[in-house]
Amino acid sequence: MVKGRLEAFSDGVIAIIITIMVLELKIPHESDLAALRPLIPTFLSYVLSFVHVGIYWNNHHHLFQAVRQVNGSTLWANLHLLFWLSLFPFVTAWMGENHFAALPVALYGVVLLLAAIAYFTLTRTLVFHHGQDSTLANALGRNFKGKLSVLIYAGSIPLAFAIPWLACALSRYRTKIEGRGKTHR
């Protein structure tokens, strides 16, 4: 199968995810700067999630530049990734609305962890389809950053119950690590 439909569908879903997230930023009824203060936690959670979704979109784009074709397993692995990404608006809004309370931050970490696992699954599915000596497999290499991301996310979940802001900071640090990659998470 050609990859174009998968890429177009994924781009559309990711655009909708970002749109839904920004709609959670409610417009204040007052016209002074003080009216924006209650929106700060929601805005910060939006920025954090926008960066995460942006990195996934960027890495997905680069990943599929090295892909020649897709098969049924690839379609399902991609849908698996899109499922977890589609939960970003919910956990983003819950975390922001509750001022980064422990349980919403932990659930945010769970969704990030499962999205990272889904991305890793997608890359493994593509490598299996294209072969260990393919351009894709060579571009992905050992995928150290992807594996490190999974560990950071897993560690941030229990940390959210003790120090929620540090769990969010780890998530942000992870985005710095990942934002430098070409084709891998």
Side-chain angles (χ1 to χ4, degrees), residues 52-90:
H52 279 290
V53 172
I55 289 170
Y56 274 105
W57 175 79
N58 192 16
N59 288 346
H60 191 273
H61 170 74
H62 287 293
L63 178 69
F64 277 89
Q65 292 302 302
V67 168
R68 293 185 321 271
Q69 61 193 12
V70 298
N71 60 9
S73 296
T74 304
L75 296 177
W76 283 107
N78 192 68
L79 280 173
H80 180 226
L81 171 62
L82 293 176
F83 171 78
W84 293 110
L85 294 181
S86 75
L87 292 176
F88 273 45
F90 172 76

Side-chain angles (χ1 to χ4, degrees), residues 92-167:
T92 299
W94 195 34
M95 187 171 66
E97 185 69 27
N98 290 286
H99 300 244
F100 297 88
L103 185 58
V105 170
L107 185 60
Y108 187 82
V110 168
V111 170
L112 290 174
L113 173 64
L114 294 171
I117 291 169
Y119 189 87
F120 181 79
T121 302
L122 176 60
T123 62
R124 295 296 100 205
T125 301
L126 286 165
V127 168
F128 183 78
H129 180 63
H130 286 81
Q132 293 295 330
D133 58 345
S134 65
T135 302
L136 174 65
N138 290 330
L140 288 170
R142 294 174 165 259
N143 196 10
F144 173 76
K145 291 190 304 184
K147 294 171 185 168
L148 179 61
S149 295
V150 170
L151 291 175
I152 290 172
Y153 288 146
S156 70
I157 295 166
L159 184 60
F161 292 103
I163 313 169
W165 68 266
L166 185 55

